Amino acid sequence: MEYQAQIKKAAQIIHEADAIYFTSGAGVSVCSGLPDYRGLQNFWNVLPADENSSVSLKTPEGFYDDPEYTWGFWSLKYDLFEGVTPHDGFEIMKRWGETKKKGYFVFTSNIDSAYQKSSYPEEKIMECHGSVKWLQCNKGLECCRDIWESSNSLPVFVYPNSKRATRGYPRCQKCGGAARPNVLMYIDYDFVHDRVKKQKENLKRWFETINEGDKLCVIEIGAGLSVPTVRMQSESIENATLIRINTREPQIPPPETNVSLPLR
């Protein structure tokens, strides 16, 4: 089926839906000017590296081993998020959801808080990997369960040549050690899940409002296979029609009522 026919089919599904479940990965923010995590211009290539540091920026270990360098990286990442305005698609999705009898909910692996910046209500969003807008102690539950907003702590000053933060990087309010973003990283045993757990409870309550006869549409945008959390979530929803929008990995499971759009 050609693109135009697929788009027409997707539009009809959205029009007839009683509820919309938006699921998204990094690709949803690419059109706002952010890099994704797997393309040629991904976060790990766009942000500068420090040849004098061997710490992994993808795990929490850097906050123990070299917090100045690790916070230098995360501060630059924070600046990158803050420097973009979410594209018009966020507002369009919100408008669609607001017209539906049972409303909408968002499930995203993104940590940039783009939905909040687009005025989505906090109680309609689940950020399964957390958000850079919130901090926690790097020791996790070994110290405390505290999660606090990062607005008073970020961005930190980064020396231009070394890409390292000053000693003014965020610290835990309890123990005084290095704080870290409340973001689920690789090999991460200290992520404090409390905020995500509350969001998950909100999602559960929303699903409970959807009755057997209601038409549920899942619209997935920019979620790849490398970290398949979002795709697995999209495909796990029973009695729903899935619309998958993905330029590189558009393949979609049966039934034939589902729609694949290899578009941006």
Side-chain angles (χ1 to χ4, degrees), residues 119-176:
S119 300
Y120 285 62
E122 185 73 35
E123 64 271 16
K124 291 184 177 291
I125 305 168
M126 179 175 171
E127 298 157 301
C128 63
H129 292 166
S131 169
V132 74
K133 290 286 191 178
W134 297 83
L135 301 177
Q136 65 165 84
C137 181
N138 191 46
K139 298 176 183 176
L141 300 186
E142 181 184 332
C143 173
C144 61
R145 306 186 75 96
D146 291 1
I147 300 172
W148 62 96
E149 287 192 67
S150 62
S151 56
N152 295 327
S153 306
L154 287 172
V156 300
F157 179 77
V158 179
Y159 291 113
N161 294 329
S162 69
K163 310 301 186 293
R164 292 177 171 272
T166 66
R167 294 190 179 276
Y169 57 77
R171 294 181 179 271
C172 174
Q173 300 167 341
K174 289 283 180 66
C175 71

Coordinates of all heavy atoms in Angstrom, one line a residue, residues 119-176:
S119 N 3.1 22.0 27.4 CA 1.9 22.2 28.2 C 1.0 20.9 28.3 O -0.2 21.0 28.6 CB 1.1 23.3 27.7 OG 1.8 24.5 27.7
Y120 N 1.6 19.7 28.2 CA 0.8 18.5 28.5 C 0.7 18.4 30.1 O 1.7 18.7 30.8 CB 1.5 17.3 28.0 CG 1.5 17.0 26.6 CD1 2.0 17.9 25.6 CD2 0.9 15.9 26.1 CE1 1.9 17.7 24.3 CE2 0.8 15.6 24.7 CZ 1.3 16.5 23.8 OH 1.2 16.3 22.5
P121 N -0.4 18.1 30.6 CA -0.5 17.9 32.1 C 0.4 16.8 32.6 O 0.5 15.8 32.0 CB -2.0 17.6 32.3 CG -2.7 18.0 31.1 CD -1.7 17.9 29.9
E122 N 1.1 17.1 33.7 CA 2.0 16.1 34.3 C 1.3 14.8 34.5 O 2.0 13.7 34.3 CB 2.5 16.7 35.6 CG 3.6 15.8 36.3 CD 5.0 15.9 35.5 OE1 5.3 17.0 35.0 OE2 5.7 14.8 35.5
E123 N 0.0 14.8 34.9 CA -0.6 13.5 35.2 C -1.0 12.7 34.0 O -1.5 11.6 34.1 CB -1.9 13.8 36.0 CG -3.0 14.6 35.3 CD -2.8 16.1 35.5 OE1 -1.7 16.6 35.9 OE2 -3.8 16.8 35.2
K124 N -0.7 13.2 32.8 CA -1.0 12.5 31.6 C 0.3 12.0 30.9 O 0.3 11.6 29.7 CB -1.7 13.3 30.6 CG -3.2 13.6 31.0 CD -3.9 14.4 29.9 CE -5.4 14.6 30.4 NZ -6.1 13.4 30.3
I125 N 1.4 12.0 31.6 CA 2.7 11.6 31.0 C 3.4 10.5 31.9 O 3.5 10.6 33.1 CB 3.7 12.8 31.0 CG1 3.0 14.0 30.2 CG2 5.0 12.5 30.3 CD1 3.7 15.3 30.3
M126 N 4.0 9.5 31.2 CA 4.9 8.6 31.9 C 6.2 8.6 31.2 O 6.3 8.3 30.0 CB 4.3 7.1 31.9 CG 5.3 6.2 32.6 SD 4.6 4.5 32.7 CE 6.1 3.7 33.3
E127 N 7.2 9.0 31.9 CA 8.6 9.0 31.4 C 9.3 7.8 31.9 O 9.9 7.8 33.0 CB 9.3 10.3 31.8 CG 8.6 11.5 31.3 CD 8.9 12.8 32.1 OE1 8.6 12.8 33.3 OE2 9.4 13.8 31.5
C128 N 9.3 6.7 31.2 CA 9.8 5.4 31.7 C 11.3 5.4 32.1 O 11.7 4.6 32.9 CB 9.5 4.3 30.8 SG 10.3 4.4 29.1
H129 N 12.1 6.3 31.5 CA 13.5 6.4 31.8 C 13.8 7.6 32.7 O 15.0 8.0 32.8 CB 14.3 6.5 30.5 CG 14.3 5.2 29.8 ND1 14.7 5.0 28.4 CD2 13.9 3.9 30.1 CE1 14.6 3.8 28.0 NE2 14.0 3.1 29.0
G130 N 12.8 8.3 33.2 CA 13.0 9.4 34.1 C 13.2 10.7 33.3 O 12.8 10.8 32.1
S131 N 13.7 11.8 33.9 CA 13.8 13.1 33.3 C 15.0 13.8 33.8 O 15.3 13.8 35.0 CB 12.6 13.9 33.5 OG 12.8 15.2 33.1
V132 N 15.7 14.5 32.9 CA 16.9 15.3 33.4 C 16.4 16.5 34.2 O 17.3 17.2 34.9 CB 17.6 15.8 32.1 CG1 16.9 16.9 31.4 CG2 19.1 16.2 32.5
K133 N 15.1 16.8 34.3 CA 14.6 17.9 35.1 C 14.6 17.6 36.6 O 14.3 18.4 37.4 CB 13.2 18.2 34.6 CG 13.1 18.9 33.3 CD 13.6 20.3 33.3 CE 13.2 21.0 32.0 NZ 13.6 22.4 32.0
W134 N 14.9 16.3 36.9 CA 14.9 15.9 38.3 C 16.2 15.3 38.7 O 16.9 14.7 37.9 CB 13.8 14.9 38.5 CG 12.4 15.5 38.3 CD1 11.8 15.7 37.1 CD2 11.6 16.2 39.2 NE1 10.6 16.3 37.2 CE2 10.4 16.6 38.5 CE3 11.6 16.3 40.6 CZ2 9.4 17.3 39.2 CZ3 10.6 17.0 41.3 CH2 9.5 17.4 40.5
L135 N 16.6 15.4 39.9 CA 17.9 14.9 40.5 C 17.6 13.9 41.6 O 16.6 13.9 42.2 CB 18.8 16.0 41.0 CG 19.2 17.1 40.0 CD1 20.0 18.2 40.7 CD2 19.9 16.6 38.8
Q136 N 18.7 13.1 41.9 CA 18.6 12.2 43.0 C 20.1 12.0 43.5 O 21.0 12.4 42.8 CB 18.1 10.8 42.6 CG 19.0 10.1 41.6 CD 18.6 8.7 41.4 OE1 17.7 8.3 40.6 NE2 19.4 7.8 42.1
C137 N 20.2 11.4 44.7 CA 21.6 11.1 45.1 C 22.2 10.0 44.2 O 21.5 9.0 43.9 CB 21.6 10.6 46.6 SG 23.2 10.2 47.2
N138 N 23.5 10.1 43.9 CA 24.1 9.1 43.1 C 24.1 7.7 43.8 O 24.2 6.7 43.2 CB 25.5 9.5 42.7 CG 26.1 8.6 41.6 OD1 25.4 8.3 40.6 ND2 27.3 8.2 41.8
K139 N 24.1 7.7 45.1 CA 24.1 6.5 45.9 C 22.7 5.8 45.9 O 22.6 4.7 46.4 CB 24.6 6.8 47.3 CG 26.0 7.3 47.4 CD 26.3 7.7 48.9 CE 27.7 8.3 49.0 NZ 28.0 8.7 50.4
G140 N 21.7 6.5 45.4 CA 20.4 5.9 45.4 C 19.9 5.5 46.8 O 20.1 6.3 47.7
L141 N 19.3 4.4 46.9 CA 18.7 4.0 48.2 C 19.7 3.8 49.3 O 19.3 3.7 50.5 CB 17.8 2.8 48.0 CG 16.7 2.9 46.9 CD1 15.8 1.6 46.9 CD2 15.8 4.1 47.2
E142 N 20.9 3.7 49.0 CA 22.0 3.6 50.0 C 22.0 4.8 50.8 O 22.3 4.8 52.0 CB 23.3 3.3 49.4 CG 24.5 3.2 50.3 CD 25.8 3.1 49.7 OE1 25.9 2.6 48.5 OE2 26.8 3.5 50.3
C143 N 21.6 5.9 50.2 CA 21.5 7.2 51.0 C 20.0 7.6 51.2 O 19.6 7.7 52.4 CB 22.1 8.3 50.2 SG 21.9 10.0 50.9
C144 N 19.2 7.8 50.2 CA 17.9 8.3 50.4 C 17.0 8.1 49.1 O 17.6 7.8 48.0 CB 17.8 9.7 50.8 SG 18.6 10.9 49.5
R145 N 15.7 8.3 49.2 CA 14.8 8.2 48.1 C 14.5 9.6 47.5 O 13.6 9.7 46.6 CB 13.5 7.5 48.5 CG 13.6 6.1 49.1 CD 12.3 5.5 49.3 NE 11.8 5.0 48.1 CZ 11.9 3.7 47.7 NH1 12.5 2.9 48.4 NH2 11.4 3.3 46.5
D146 N 15.1 10.6 48.0 CA 14.8 12.0 47.6 C 15.0 12.2 46.1 O 16.0 11.8 45.5 CB 15.7 13.0 48.4 CG 15.3 13.0 49.9 OD1 14.5 12.2 50.3 OD2 16.0 13.8 50.6
I147 N 14.0 12.9 45.5 CA 14.1 13.4 44.2 C 13.7 14.8 44.2 O 12.7 15.2 44.8 CB 13.1 12.6 43.2 CG1 13.4 11.1 43.2 CG2 13.2 13.1 41.8 CD1 12.4 10.2 42.5
W148 N 14.5 15.7 43.6 CA 14.2 17.1 43.6 C 14.4 17.7 42.2 O 15.2 17.2 41.4 CB 15.0 17.8 44.7 CG 16.5 17.8 44.5 CD1 17.3 18.8 43.9 CD2 17.4 16.7 44.9 NE1 18.6 18.4 44.0 CE2 18.7 17.2 44.5 CE3 17.3 15.5 45.5 CZ2 19.8 16.4 44.8 CZ3 18.4 14.7 45.7 CH2 19.7 15.2 45.4
E149 N 13.8 18.8 42.0 CA 13.9 19.5 40.7 C 15.3 20.0 40.5 O 15.9 20.6 41.4 CB 12.8 20.6 40.6 CG 11.4 20.1 40.4 CD 10.5 21.3 40.0 OE1 10.6 21.8 38.9 OE2 9.6 21.6 40.9
S150 N 15.7 20.0 39.2 CA 17.1 20.4 38.9 C 17.2 21.8 38.5 O 18.3 22.3 38.3 CB 17.6 19.5 37.7 OG 16.8 19.8 36.6
S151 N 16.1 22.6 38.5 CA 16.1 23.9 38.0 C 17.0 24.9 38.7 O 17.6 25.8 38.2 CB 14.7 24.5 38.0 OG 14.1 24.4 39.3
N152 N 17.2 24.6 40.0 CA 18.1 25.4 40.8 C 19.6 25.0 40.8 O 20.4 25.7 41.3 CB 17.6 25.5 42.3 CG 16.3 26.1 42.5 OD1 15.9 27.0 41.7 ND2 15.5 25.6 43.4
S153 N 19.8 23.9 40.1 CA 21.2 23.3 40.1 C 21.8 23.3 38.8 O 23.0 23.2 38.7 CB 21.1 21.9 40.7 OG 20.5 21.8 41.9
L154 N 21.0 23.3 37.7 CA 21.6 23.2 36.4 C 21.2 24.5 35.5 O 20.2 25.1 35.8 CB 21.0 22.0 35.7 CG 21.5 20.6 36.2 CD1 20.7 19.5 35.5 CD2 23.0 20.5 35.8
P155 N 22.0 24.8 34.5 CA 23.2 24.1 34.2 C 24.4 24.6 35.1 O 24.3 25.6 35.7 CB 23.5 24.6 32.7 CG 22.8 26.0 32.7 CD 21.6 25.9 33.6
V156 N 25.4 23.7 35.2 CA 26.6 24.1 36.0 C 27.6 24.7 35.0 O 27.5 24.6 33.8 CB 27.2 22.9 36.7 CG1 26.2 22.3 37.6 CG2 27.7 21.8 35.7
F157 N 28.6 25.5 35.6 CA 29.6 26.1 34.7 C 30.6 25.0 34.3 O 31.0 24.2 35.0 CB 30.3 27.1 35.5 CG 31.4 27.8 34.7 CD1 31.1 28.7 33.7 CD2 32.8 27.4 34.8 CE1 32.1 29.3 32.9 CE2 33.7 28.0 34.0 CZ 33.4 28.9 33.1
V158 N 30.8 25.0 33.0 CA 31.8 24.0 32.4 C 32.9 24.8 31.8 O 32.8 25.7 31.0 CB 31.1 23.2 31.3 CG1 32.0 22.2 30.7 CG2 29.8 22.5 31.8
Y159 N 34.2 24.4 32.2 CA 35.4 25.0 31.6 C 35.4 24.6 30.1 O 35.4 23.5 29.7 CB 36.6 24.4 32.3 CG 36.8 24.9 33.7 CD1 36.7 24.0 34.7 CD2 37.1 26.2 34.0 CE1 36.8 24.4 36.1 CE2 37.2 26.6 35.3 CZ 37.1 25.7 36.3 OH 37.2 26.1 37.6
P160 N 35.5 25.6 29.2 CA 35.4 25.4 27.8 C 36.4 24.4 27.2 O 36.1 23.6 26.4 CB 35.5 26.8 27.2 CG 35.1 27.7 28.2 CD 35.6 27.1 29.5
N161 N 37.6 24.5 27.7 CA 38.7 23.7 27.1 C 38.7 22.3 27.7 O 38.9 21.3 26.9 CB 40.1 24.3 27.4 CG 40.2 25.6 26.7 OD1 39.7 25.8 25.6 ND2 41.0 26.5 27.3
S162 N 38.4 22.1 28.9 CA 38.4 20.8 29.5 C 37.1 20.0 29.5 O 37.1 18.8 29.6 CB 38.9 20.8 31.0 OG 37.8 21.5 31.8
K163 N 36.0 20.7 29.2 CA 34.7 20.2 29.2 C 34.3 19.6 30.6 O 33.4 18.8 30.7 CB 34.6 19.0 28.2 CG 35.1 19.4 26.8 CD 34.3 20.5 26.2 CE 34.7 20.8 24.7 NZ 36.1 21.2 24.6
R164 N 34.9 20.1 31.6 CA 34.7 19.7 33.0 C 33.9 20.7 33.8 O 34.1 21.9 33.6 CB 36.0 19.4 33.7 CG 36.7 18.2 33.1 CD 38.0 17.9 33.8 NE 38.5 16.6 33.4 CZ 38.3 15.5 34.0 NH1 37.5 15.5 35.0 NH2 38.7 14.4 33.5
A165 N 33.0 20.2 34.6 CA 32.3 21.1 35.5 C 33.2 21.6 36.6 O 34.2 21.0 37.0 CB 31.1 20.4 36.1
T166 N 32.8 22.8 37.2 CA 33.5 23.2 38.4 C 33.0 22.4 39.6 O 32.2 21.5 39.4 CB 33.1 24.7 38.7 OG1 31.7 24.7 39.0 CG2 33.4 25.6 37.5
R167 N 33.6 22.6 40.7 CA 33.2 21.8 41.9 C 31.8 22.3 42.4 O 31.3 21.8 43.4 CB 34.2 22.0 43.0 CG 35.6 21.4 42.7 CD 36.5 21.3 43.9 NE 37.8 20.7 43.5 CZ 38.0 19.4 43.5 NH1 37.0 18.6 43.8 NH2 39.1 18.9 43.2
G168 N 31.2 23.2 41.7 CA 29.8 23.6 42.0 C 28.7 22.7 41.4 O 27.6 23.1 41.3
Y169 N 29.1 21.5 41.0 CA 28.1 20.6 40.4 C 27.1 20.2 41.5 O 27.4 20.2 42.7 CB 28.8 19.4 39.8 CG 29.7 18.5 40.7 CD1 29.1 17.7 41.6 CD2 31.0 18.6 40.6 CE1 29.9 16.9 42.4 CE2 31.9 17.9 41.4 CZ 31.3 17.0 42.3 OH 32.1 16.3 43.2
P170 N 25.9 19.7 41.1 CA 24.9 19.4 42.1 C 25.3 18.3 43.0 O 26.0 17.3 42.7 CB 23.7 18.9 41.2 CG 23.9 19.6 39.9 CD 25.4 19.6 39.7
R171 N 24.9 18.5 44.3 CA 25.2 17.5 45.3 C 23.9 17.1 46.1 O 22.9 17.8 46.1 CB 26.2 18.1 46.3 CG 27.6 18.4 45.7 CD 28.5 18.9 46.7 NE 29.9 19.1 46.1 CZ 30.8 18.2 46.1 NH1 30.6 17.0 46.6 NH2 32.0 18.5 45.5
C172 N 24.0 15.9 46.7 CA 22.9 15.4 47.4 C 22.6 16.3 48.6 O 23.5 16.7 49.3 CB 23.2 14.0 47.9 SG 21.9 13.3 49.0
Q173 N 21.3 16.5 48.9 CA 20.9 17.4 50.0 C 21.1 16.7 51.4 O 21.1 17.3 52.4 CB 19.5 17.8 49.8 CG 19.2 18.6 48.5 CD 17.8 18.7 48.2 OE1 16.9 18.0 48.7 NE2 17.5 19.7 47.3
K174 N 21.3 15.3 51.3 CA 21.4 14.6 52.6 C 22.8 14.3 52.9 O 23.3 14.6 54.0 CB 20.6 13.3 52.5 CG 19.1 13.4 52.5 CD 18.5 13.7 53.8 CE 17.0 13.8 53.8 NZ 16.3 12.6 53.5
C175 N 23.6 13.7 52.0 CA 24.9 13.2 52.3 C 26.0 14.2 51.8 O 27.2 14.0 52.2 CB 25.2 11.8 51.8 SG 25.3 11.7 50.0
G176 N 25.7 15.1 50.9 CA 26.7 16.0 50.3 C 27.5 15.4 49.2 O 28.3 16.1 48.6

